Amino acid sequence: IRCQLFPPQRPLQASAVLRRASDEQKKEPLTSSSQQQFDSHPTNHQPEQEPQGPRPSYTGQGGQESEDYESEEQLQHRILTAALEFVPEHGWTAEAIAEGAKTLGLSVAAAGMFHSDGSELILHFVSQCNTNLSELLEQEQKLVQLGEAEKKPTDQFLRDAVEARLRMLIPYIEKWPQALSILLLPHNIPSSLNLLTSMIDDIWHYAGDQSTDFNWYTRRAVLTGIYNTTELVMMQDSSPDFEETWRFLENRVADAMNMGSTANQVQSTGEAVVQGLMGAAVTVSNAERAVRTE
Amino acid sequence: AGGASLRPCSTRVTLEGINKPVIDRIIRVDHAGEYGANRIYAGQMAVLGRSSVGPVIQQMWNQEKDHLKKFNELMVAYRVRPTVLLPFWNVAGFVLGAGSALLGKKGAMACTVAVEESISDHYNSQIRTLMEEDPEKYKELLQIIKQFRDDEREHHDIGLEHDAEAAPAYSVLKTAIQLGCKAAIFLSERI
């Protein structure tokens, strides 16, 4: 399951209406090369990297766009990122998006660009968290490659990765149950499933999984189960710094490791039993032959 | 209301600029194919291992093992998902190999001819696809597939040399096996 490419960029004529006339400022030009970068690297969250101040300008009536227009996608990203700040107060709702739009100097009508149930805000947040996790794991991997850090054993790696990812929910933990139920709505399932599976695949990739057989599926299924159950435990956890959750996580990961070694043990025991039976059969047939030739 | 539908996705360390869906399919189905071919030869060896064609089959099997090893590496490098049907190809391949071998040496060779012909045609169409996309970008992959296509062609010719065409119900057998191969290719590309 691969990530979907964003819809093609379109010029942002409609957004001109959303701007308050007094706030128009010239922004650093978005060069065409960076636009192309956005096309072929849909995960380039360029808006998040810019400073909040300067914004694109428009040659309104002339009909010609200036070179530095931003696409609708980029604008939506900026609004949603700004909206996250208001989620603890307003929840995953159009209100939070409207507040976010306000901080960017846009009219609250900007929230009309999105579904009223806050789906895009949640999906945007999850996508951002996953991106952060990947970057974190990538950096850790670099450190190990440079010899500046020890390579972690698999169970610890998985534990740390899942913990790091779940900790990103802490600022929004009050409203997260609401988000989970929205992610389970039928029209959101394809996207949320996509995000979940690619996150789990990322974790296993950095953990060093190189399986090319059915284990590929088994491992990801197991880790998905661990992640989801730990997330649910976290919702109910009121211990200081979520200690109970991390202990639960540790136990589940240990169970999963045991399952793997138990499966191996069962297999080798089975093989040993078969060999024993074969040996017994040979012995019996030899004995029989000896008796017959007497 | 209801604006453009955002379809967010996670960042992954993707190999820059490659057509991921196309490469995904190619590697997944090729991996499945080599895996199946391995199992077919394993089945044939189980029945005919001690016969006169044993060494021939063993040699072809060894080459398939190398092919599979290569695709295992490519699968990890390009982060491709293996087909979920692998356990099924495991059994089906072995049954096909053993079954065709039970028809005799010529039966086993006929199976080899049918399968290798399917596989070389399939590799050829993949080569065409990659050449249409961008021969420069996919140079390494193209080289590998071309080499393997030549190997499979060689197996096909070896099969013919060993009287595959004299096998019982050769044309029926060949058609049936090739139909199965087409179905396997179709499924492995997608699931």
Side-chain angles (χ1 to χ4, degrees):
Chain A
I1 301 178
R2 294 292 152 211
C3 70
Q4 310 278 352
L5 289 176
F6 288 123
Q9 300 175 350
R10 348 188 246 285
L12 206 43
Q13 300 100 336
S15 309
V17 174
L18 303 172
R19 296 185 174 278
R20 292 188 213 142
S22 54
D23 284 51
E24 226 143 318
Q25 290 171 34
K26 191 91 183 149
K27 165 185 156 49
E28 273 110 61
L30 276 178
T31 61
S32 51
S33 64
S34 63
Q35 297 281 352
Q36 282 168 352
Q37 232 188 345
F38 191 79
D39 269 323
S40 58
H41 298 284
T43 55
N44 177 14
H45 289 280
Q46 209 168 352
E48 277 79 85
Q49 294 161 10
E50 302 158 4
Q52 283 292 14
R55 283 184 303 277
S57 71
Y58 297 87
T59 56
Q61 267 70 30
Q64 293 167 319
E65 283 116 24
S66 60
E67 275 188 348
D68 37 312
Y69 67 81
E70 76 176 340
S71 74
E72 193 159 334
E73 265 69 68
Q74 288 170 312
L75 179 67
Q76 288 180 336
H77 273 296
R78 281 204 303 135
I79 296 177
L80 292 178
T81 306
L84 288 177
E85 192 189 324
F86 301 95
V87 165
E89 192 189 327
H90 295 280
W92 304 93
T93 56
E95 279 90 56
I97 300 179
E99 293 293 323
K102 262 204 280 187
T103 60
L104 292 181
L106 302 171
S107 124
V108 297
M113 275 201 279
F114 306 98
H115 280 125
S116 55
D117 59 5
S119 300
E120 283 106 336
L121 183 55
I122 304 172
L123 290 171
H124 173 81
F125 172 67
V126 171
S127 174
Q128 229 179 7
C129 288
N130 292 353
T131 307
N132 291 341
L133 179 68
S134 294
E135 280 166 7
L136 182 69
L137 294 177
E138 176 76 30
Q139 276 167 6
E140 272 181 23
Q141 191 186 53
K142 283 210 174 76
L143 288 180
V144 171
Q145 279 171 350
L146 292 173
E148 290 173 25
E150 284 294 309
K151 188 167 156 59
K152 293 185 202 169
T154 309
D155 60 343
Q156 200 191 338
F157 185 93
L158 296 177
R159 247 190 293 140
D160 290 346
V162 172
E163 182 180 333
R165 176 61 179 81
L166 287 175
R167 278 188 180 277
M168 297 181 197
L169 301 178
I170 293 180
Y172 309 92
I173 196 84
E174 302 280 308
K175 308 285 182 183
W176 194 243
Q178 177 198 5
L180 281 181
S181 58
I182 292 177
L183 284 177
L184 288 173
L185 291 174
H187 70 90
N188 285 329
I189 296 241
S191 304
S192 61
L193 210 51
N194 198 345
L195 286 168
L196 178 64
T197 51
S198 50
M199 186 248 309
I200 297 286
D201 183 48
D202 262 355
I203 296 181
W204 267 120
H205 169 75
Y206 286 106
D209 177 40
Q210 299 205 323
S211 36
T212 52
D213 54 4
F214 204 74
N215 270 328
W216 192 96
Y217 290 92
T218 319
R219 287 179 180 186
R220 279 152 185 75
V222 166
L223 186 59
T224 308
I226 293 176
Y227 180 85
N228 283 339
T229 48
T230 310
E231 192 180 24
L232 291 176
V233 164
M234 197 178 172
M235 300 296 106
Q236 326 273 12
D237 189 4
S238 51
S239 62
D241 195 38
F242 300 94
E243 301 171 338
E244 292 292 319
T245 305
W246 313 134
R247 205 162 329 139
F248 177 86
L249 174 61
E250 191 178 335
N251 290 336
R252 296 291 77 72
V253 170
D255 285 346
M257 299 288 122
N258 280 340
M259 250 202 310
S261 69
T262 306
N264 285 339
Q265 281 175 351
V266 166
Q267 196 181 5
S268 32
T269 307
E271 281 168 8
V273 167
V274 166
Q275 279 184 340
L277 289 173
M278 297 285 273
V282 167
T283 312
V284 165
S285 76
N286 284 345
E288 214 181 348
R289 208 175 305 139
V291 165
R292 251 186 283 127
T293 53
E294 269 178 14
Chain B
S5 60
L6 291 176
R7 300 279 285 195
C9 68
S10 293
T11 298
R12 51 177 72 250
V13 180
T14 47
L15 305 152
E16 311 285 296
I18 64 164
N19 187 339
K20 199 71 171 58
V22 165
I23 299 297
D24 248 24
R25 271 194 177 189
I26 288 180
I27 294 183
R28 178 162 49 250
V29 74
D30 288 350
H31 175 264
E34 296 298 346
Y35 183 81
N38 253 277
R39 295 303 292 155
I40 291 175
Y41 283 124
Q44 290 187 341
M45 279 304 282
V47 176
L48 290 171
R50 265 162 293 188
S51 71
S52 57
V53 294
V56 177
I57 300 178
Q58 181 67 51
Q59 202 221 355
M60 293 196 285
W61 189 15
N62 290 341
Q63 277 186 315
E64 300 295 354
K65 285 186 191 158
D66 283 337
H67 289 188
L68 182 60
K69 201 155 101 101
K70 190 64 189 167
F71 275 116
N72 280 338
E73 288 165 17
L74 285 175
M75 188 162 253
V76 173
Y78 284 89
R79 292 184 63 176
V80 174
R81 163 182 75 86
T83 169
V84 80
L85 296 169
L86 278 181
F88 184 68
W89 301 145
N90 187 353
V91 174
F94 193 87
V95 165
L96 175 61
S100 63
L102 286 171
L103 292 173
K105 297 181 206 154
K106 304 199 181 88
M109 289 301 152
C111 170
T112 301
V113 165
V115 171
E116 300 295 8
E117 190 178 303
S118 270
I119 291 193
S120 0
D121 284 344
H122 175 63
Y123 276 152
N124 274 334
S125 70
Q126 285 184 345
I127 292 172
R128 269 192 291 276
T129 307
L130 289 176
M131 296 289 274
E132 275 166 11
E133 283 271 325
D134 189 337
E136 270 315 299
K137 212 190 294 180
Y138 304 117
K139 201 156 79 153
E140 192 213 336
L141 193 55
L142 269 170
Q143 224 170 355
I144 293 172
I145 297 183
K146 281 184 188 162
Q147 171 64 46
F148 289 5
R149 190 245 355 238
D150 295 341
D151 290 344
E152 309 294 1
R153 206 73 227 164
E154 198 190 315
H155 293 178
H156 171 267
D157 295 340
I158 292 176
L160 286 177
E161 276 168 33
H162 284 81
D163 300 325
E165 282 158 331
Y170 173 69
S171 49
V172 174
L173 197 59
K174 184 169 173 226
T175 315
I177 292 176
Q178 290 193 324
L179 216 60
C181 284
K182 277 208 185 68
I185 289 172
F186 180 84
L187 289 173
S188 298
E189 274 180 341
R190 287 157 185 79
I191 28 182

